[in-house]
Amino acid sequence: MVRIEVLGSGCANCRRLEANARDAVGMAGIEAEIVKVTDYAEIAARGVLTTPGLVIDGEVRSAGRIPSAGDIAEWLVTSQRSLSTPPA
């Protein structure tokens, strides 16, 4: 299962990013856990200085913007492939 984290205070942009992430999960046809992270110390510790931020399986994929559901779906599919590919 993919872990998606939405980083931000809960503002309108953060809520829109979360909605796009939920739409993307459906588009990608995968199982995912979506978690909201509102603690600014934790957000800054990840190197995100402008919100909203999006983290997929521990990797910061965007900060300070709202990627489309289509873009997020592509990232999710790529993340799933890398999880299912055995190491060389």
Side-chain angles (χ1 to χ4, degrees), residues 2-85:
V2 175
R3 180 177 170 93
I4 301 169
E5 297 169 272
V6 177
L7 312 179
S9 64
C11 67
N13 286 339
C14 299
R15 290 190 304 272
R16 195 165 46 181
L17 176 57
E18 180 184 359
N20 285 359
R22 290 187 187 283
D23 290 345
V25 168
M27 292 168 67
I30 63 166
E31 289 186 37
E33 172 188 23
I34 299 177
V35 178
K36 295 182 215 174
V37 178
T38 58
D39 179 57
Y40 280 111
E42 187 175 343
I43 293 168
R46 294 168 187 252
V48 174
L49 301 178
T50 55
T51 59
L54 183 73
V55 177
I56 299 175
D57 285 336
E59 181 182 347
V60 176
R61 298 305 304 250
S62 76
R65 66 184 192 91
I66 304 168
S68 71
D71 286 343
I72 298 169
E74 287 181 30
W75 297 336
L76 292 172
V77 169
T78 301
S79 179
Q80 272 297 102
R81 282 193 200 127
S82 66
L83 289 175
S84 63
T85 303

